[in-house]
Amino acid sequence: MRNYRVFFFILLFVFIYQLSYSQGQQIRTFQIKVVADEEFRSVSDWHLEIKRLVANSSRVFEKAFGIRFEIKTIEAWVSDNSQNSMPDLLNDLRRKIPQQDCDVVLGFTEQPYLEKELGGIASYLKCYALVKKMKSSSVMTRMIVHEFCHLFGAVDLNEEGSIMDKKNPGSKFDEFTAQIIRINKNRIFSVYHFPISGKNMDETIALCNGRKKLCRGEEEIHILLASIYLEKEDYNAMMEECLEALKINPDLPDAYHHLGIAYRRKGQLDQAIEQYQKMLRLQPDLPEVHYNLGIAYIKKEMFDEAIEEYQKAIELNPFYGKAYANLGFVYLQMEMADQAIELSQKALDIYPELAEAMSTLGAAHILKENYSEAEDYSRKALQLDPKLSGAHNNLGTIFMIKNMSEHAIEEYRKALELNPQYAQGHYNLGRVYLLENKIDQAIGHFREAIRLKPGYLKALSNLASAYLEKDMWDEAVKECQRVLSIDPDYATAYVNLGLAYMKKEMNREAKEAYQKAIVIDESIPQPHNNLGILYEKEENFDAAIREYQIALSLKPRYLQAHLNMGNLFFKKNEFQTAITHYEEVIKINPQHAQAHNNLAVVYYYQEEFEKAWEHLIKAEEAGLQVHPDFKKELKKKLKK
């Protein structure tokens, strides 16, 4: 025992001697959640052993870097005996033990089948480390120090004697490792944020590039650089580092994962999926790969596949807040608002500051027409992340629904400034311009949405609507047929196609288009209204009235159907019924000039000249130039 203690203190002295920390600098303390599996807990004093090991390791770090580790809690962990490698067992640890309010989770295991495995494993980005029971406390202390170094950005090296030597970790901090740890001293311990930022990333890049010049075949240098380039959104540099790493080790899982992310963000989705699948062949139980594969499937609108990947990610890590949030987003794209709300709320239960989940909640409440809640969640999302384009898009939609077009345009523009490739933002801005009768601008944004997202049915359909507004009938027909070639059951395309045919006076074709729309979706009122117009042209008034009535039963505040009914009953000299429908139009839009004009005419025929004059003036105030002869005649009647 005495010899063991002497050896340990010599080892500790070597650590301290090799790199001494300036006592005048501030010590930073990190909170550790320690867990031990059932095999490690088989001895009675396992608590004490863990405390000694962590204290000794912390002492080394404190002397060298001013970094102290304190145990916040010690817990039991029932490890999965079917896992046969340290990476798989680390995933099991992450699946069962949440990080919560601790900086690091440190696991101890004594699984017998791990004898030939490395003594430990750690994840820089995920804030977890795992060490196995080893032959002596001194060796375990050295291994814990080694894994703590990984948590502060250090990588395995081919450097004899270094604590980071990958074949046989030594007892000293080499200068490269020491500099990396110093840069990471104030790192963030959160899976939702990259550990370092700004100049710290640039310093790390410079250090790693200097190290690479030694040509020692250290693949983890390339992976660290790839992670930083990913955060800096320099995807070409990131891919170059991954390819260099794979030259050293063709079976390096992280390289394939990073390549997948780079391809995905460059829009090369099939290549991204291929890289993720290579990664999964090497490590099938890594939740982050399933998560990223889900993103690729979302972008390809393969929603069933995306759901399957997110469910797998959550199964592998029930504390994976972003996976819940993205699964909620998938359901949002499928317009399944209740499921989107439920999953977004689960994400926020895990991580209350997850802005993306808050934004999805806002969008889901828009679908449910809960506009107050939608605005509240969207504004909270922007407080958490002012650069979240989806939340600005939500606010734009809320303002558009409230007929606040200027505010809607402002929010959609903010969304597009933050993300010019945001197809939905272009589509929504096009919709506002269409409502504002700014048709050329609407067409421009619909076209851009389609360029960014080929096959974007809503954008294609609204582009057809914009062409209809510009009397570009042939172009409208072409876009409708394009929509129907993608989705033969897209009812709105048949409605627009019918309108285009009506304008071209192809009434038979228009009727066929409207009837197809009704067969596909019985709930939409517009094809019934437009069939009514066609029947009215044929003077089949009973059929026309029937269609208008169906349209109004589906949408009681359908202005155009009420106006058409008023006009039809006026033709039939059923003035009181006509008045009823014109008054409904004015309830919906008090400034509707044509309805006021028509009421003036009806009241004139009923010899209610004062009411007629009142509505004539309102028609003029609303911008309509009334017929001068009618106005003159009405004045005469009033004088009499």
Side-chain angles (χ1 to χ4, degrees):
M1 180 62 73
R2 178 177 295 176
N3 289 339
Y4 155 69
R5 287 180 177 172
V6 169
F7 175 78
F8 172 71
F9 283 116
I10 289 172
L11 176 65
L12 186 59
F13 174 76
V14 171
F15 274 126
I16 296 169
Y17 178 78
Q18 290 291 339
L19 191 66
S20 181
Y21 167 69
S22 172
Q23 297 298 315
Q25 296 183 43
Q26 186 177 2
I27 292 174
R28 187 176 181 196
T29 301
F30 294 93
Q31 301 292 315
I32 299 181
K33 177 188 289 189
V34 175
V35 296
D37 69 6
E38 60 275 28
E39 287 82 6
F40 196 95
R41 300 194 311 271
S42 62
V43 295
S44 59
D45 62 345
W46 66 274
H47 274 91
L48 293 175
E49 183 180 3
I50 283 175
K51 288 178 180 178
R52 281 195 300 269
L53 290 168
V54 172
N56 293 335
S57 304
S58 178
R59 197 174 296 118
V60 172
F61 255 75
E62 187 173 338
K63 289 290 184 181
F65 305 108
I67 294 171
R68 179 185 298 155
F69 294 94
E70 289 184 353
I71 296 175
K72 184 171 184 179
T73 178
I74 299 179
E75 300 177 8
W77 160 41
V78 180
S79 60
D80 184 349
N81 293 335
S82 68
Q83 303 299 331
N84 56 14
S85 71
M86 289 294 279
D88 290 338
L89 203 56
L90 182 67
N91 290 335
D92 181 68
L93 174 63
R94 293 176 58 216
R95 179 166 64 246
K96 294 173 180 174
I97 306 296
Q99 182 186 5
Q100 293 174 316
D101 56 351
C102 290
D103 297 303
V104 174
V105 176
L106 174 61
F108 288 85
T109 181
E110 198 177 354
Q111 293 285 1
Y113 53 77
L114 296 173
E115 287 183 8
K116 295 181 180 179
E117 284 281 312
L118 294 173
I121 186 171
S123 172
Y124 174 55
L125 298 179
K126 303 177 187 74
C127 314
Y128 278 72
L130 175 65
V131 293
K132 70 178 185 180
K133 183 78 170 179
M134 302 178 78
K135 58 186 178 181
S136 71
S137 293
S138 60
V139 175
M140 281 199 73
T141 298
R142 189 163 58 199
M143 186 52 60
I144 294 170
V145 171
H146 177 94
E147 301 309 333
F148 280 174
C149 289
H150 278 307
L151 294 174
F152 285 85
V155 297
D156 287 336
L157 304 174
N158 292 322
E159 175 126 358
E160 188 175 346
S162 168
I163 186 66
M164 297 312 295
D165 184 69
K166 66 180 179 181
K167 292 180 181 177
N168 184 26
S171 58
K172 68 178 183 181
F173 294 100
D174 64 275
E175 185 56 30
F176 173 75
T177 295
Q179 289 187 65
I180 292 287
I181 294 171
R182 290 191 196 105
I183 289 171
N184 279 269
K185 179 177 178 179
N186 294 313
R187 66 153 291 177
I188 299 169
F189 276 99
S190 168
V191 294
Y192 300 102
H193 302 282
F194 197 74
I196 56 175
S197 60
K199 70 173 186 177
N200 287 336
M201 288 198 288
D202 295 333
E203 288 177 11
T204 304
I205 290 171
L207 273 173
C208 290
N209 283 331
R211 181 76 188 186
K212 280 165 39 179
K213 291 177 182 178
L214 299 177
C215 300
R216 294 188 177 179
E218 295 162 338
E219 67 262 28
E220 286 194 9
I221 295 284
H222 297 288
I223 296 302
L224 177 60
L225 280 170
S227 299
I228 295 171
Y229 286 132
L230 171 61
E231 185 66 16
K232 291 171 74 72
E233 300 182 358
D234 187 346
Y235 304 124
N236 290 332
M238 175 190 176
M239 295 175 78
E240 184 178 336
E241 295 298 335
C242 291
L243 294 173
E244 287 298 316
L246 289 169
K247 288 179 184 177
I248 301 168
N249 181 1
D251 292 327
L252 193 61
D254 286 341
Y256 293 114
H257 190 195
H258 281 71
L259 280 172
I261 296 171
Y263 278 124
R264 190 193 79 223
R265 293 193 180 178
K266 287 162 69 74
Q268 297 170 264
L269 300 177
D270 291 333
Q271 293 93 323
I273 291 169
E274 181 183 355
Q275 297 301 318
Y276 293 141
Q277 289 171 340
K278 286 180 181 178
M279 169 69 175
L280 288 172
R281 283 195 286 272
L282 295 166
Q283 281 193 15
D285 291 336
L286 195 65
E288 285 76 15
V289 188
H290 292 283
Y291 169 84
N292 282 311
L293 186 52
I295 296 175
Y297 284 137
I298 288 177
K299 290 182 177 293
K300 287 177 70 71
E301 297 194 353
M302 298 169 65
F303 296 135
D304 290 339
E305 290 83 351
I307 289 170
E308 184 178 344
E309 293 303 325
Y310 287 126
Q311 287 174 338
K312 182 65 175 177
I314 290 166
E315 176 191 332
L316 292 168
N317 183 0
F319 314 110
Y320 202 163
K322 281 191 172 183
Y324 284 107
N326 279 26
L327 184 53
F329 182 76
V330 177
Y331 284 120
L332 177 67
Q333 301 310 299
M334 299 171 73
E335 299 190 352
M336 298 169 69
D338 291 333
Q339 292 89 332
I341 289 170
E342 179 186 355
L343 287 156
S344 298
Q345 195 58 62
K346 282 184 179 179
L348 291 168
D349 289 342
I350 295 168
Y351 185 58
E353 296 184 356
L354 192 54
E356 292 86 350
M358 203 75 77
S359 179
T360 297
L361 272 175
H365 279 292
I366 289 173
L367 287 179
K368 291 177 72 69
E369 300 183 5
N370 300 330
Y371 301 124
S372 177
E373 293 92 334
E375 184 171 353
D376 184 46
Y377 281 120
S378 300
R379 292 195 183 281
K380 284 180 180 177
L382 289 171
Q383 287 173 1
L384 294 167
D385 183 359
K387 295 183 178 181
L388 199 60
S389 55
H392 283 294
N393 183 70
N394 291 348
L395 290 176
T397 301
I398 292 164
F399 286 131
M400 184 167 62
I401 290 165
K402 292 181 176 180
N403 294 318
M404 299 168 68
S405 297
E406 288 185 11
H407 289 84
I409 290 169
E410 181 183 354
E411 291 297 333
Y412 289 139
R413 282 178 174 168
K414 285 179 182 177
L416 291 171
E417 285 170 12
L418 292 166
N419 181 7
Q421 307 301 308
Y422 190 18
Q424 190 177 5
H426 284 289
Y427 163 70
N428 282 333
L429 190 51
R431 284 203 301 160
V432 181
Y433 284 134
L434 189 58
L435 290 171
E436 290 286 289
N437 205 35
K438 297 176 180 177
I439 308 303
D440 290 334
Q441 288 160 285
I443 288 171
H445 284 285
F446 290 141
R447 285 175 173 169
E448 182 63 11
I450 294 160
R451 185 189 71 79
L452 292 167
K453 186 179 174 182
Y456 194 167
L457 294 178
K458 288 183 178 179
L460 287 164
S461 182
N462 275 274
L463 180 58
S465 298
Y467 285 142
L468 288 169
E469 293 294 327
K470 281 186 70 82
D471 297 341
M472 299 168 66
W473 320 128
D474 291 335
E475 289 84 352
V477 169
K478 180 181 176 182
E479 293 305 325
C480 292
Q481 290 173 339
R482 190 173 163 191
V483 172
L484 293 169
S485 70
I486 299 169
D487 183 358
D489 293 329
Y490 202 79
T492 305
Y494 280 113
V495 174
N496 285 336
L497 188 59
L499 280 168
Y501 285 141
M502 279 177 70
K503 297 294 185 179
K504 289 165 68 71
E505 296 187 0
M506 298 168 64
N507 292 342
R508 179 178 61 80
E509 290 84 350
K511 275 186 186 178
E512 289 176 0
Y514 291 137
Q515 287 162 350
K516 285 180 180 177
I518 292 166
V519 169
I520 293 167
D521 188 350
E522 296 178 351
S523 68
I524 51 176
Q526 193 175 3
H528 291 286
N529 177 70
N530 293 354
L531 278 172
I533 295 170
L534 290 172
Y535 284 129
E536 193 174 338
K537 283 182 178 179
E538 297 171 358
E539 296 191 355
N540 186 349
F541 296 143
D542 290 340
I545 290 169
R546 182 181 68 248
E547 294 298 334
Y548 292 143
Q549 286 174 335
I550 294 171
L552 289 170
S553 69
L554 294 169
K555 185 180 178 182
R557 290 176 59 82
Y558 191 176
L559 186 150
Q560 193 61 48
H562 279 297
L563 186 64
N564 290 342
M565 284 281 271
N567 293 341
L568 179 52
F569 281 110
F570 177 75
K571 285 180 185 177
K572 290 166 64 67
N573 294 323
E574 297 182 29
F575 295 137
Q576 197 55 50
T577 306
I579 288 170
T580 300
H581 286 286
Y582 289 141
E583 286 178 344
E584 286 296 322
V585 172
I586 291 168
K587 285 179 186 177
I588 298 166
N589 179 6
Q591 304 301 315
H592 198 285
Q594 192 62 54
H596 282 296
N597 180 80
N598 292 3
L599 275 171
V601 175
V602 173
Y603 282 127
Y604 176 85
Y605 280 111
Q606 289 193 316
E607 298 185 357
E608 296 187 45
F609 302 123
E610 288 184 2
K611 284 186 178 180
W613 182 258
E614 179 186 340
H615 283 286
L616 184 144
I617 296 301
K618 286 182 179 179
E620 287 185 326
E621 289 173 350
L624 182 69
Q625 186 173 357
V626 301
H627 198 288
D629 292 341
F630 172 60
K631 187 175 182 178
K632 185 187 295 183
E633 186 63 27
L634 183 54
K635 277 184 179 180
K636 288 180 182 179
K637 296 291 184 182
L638 284 168
K639 286 178 182 178
K640 290 182 181 179

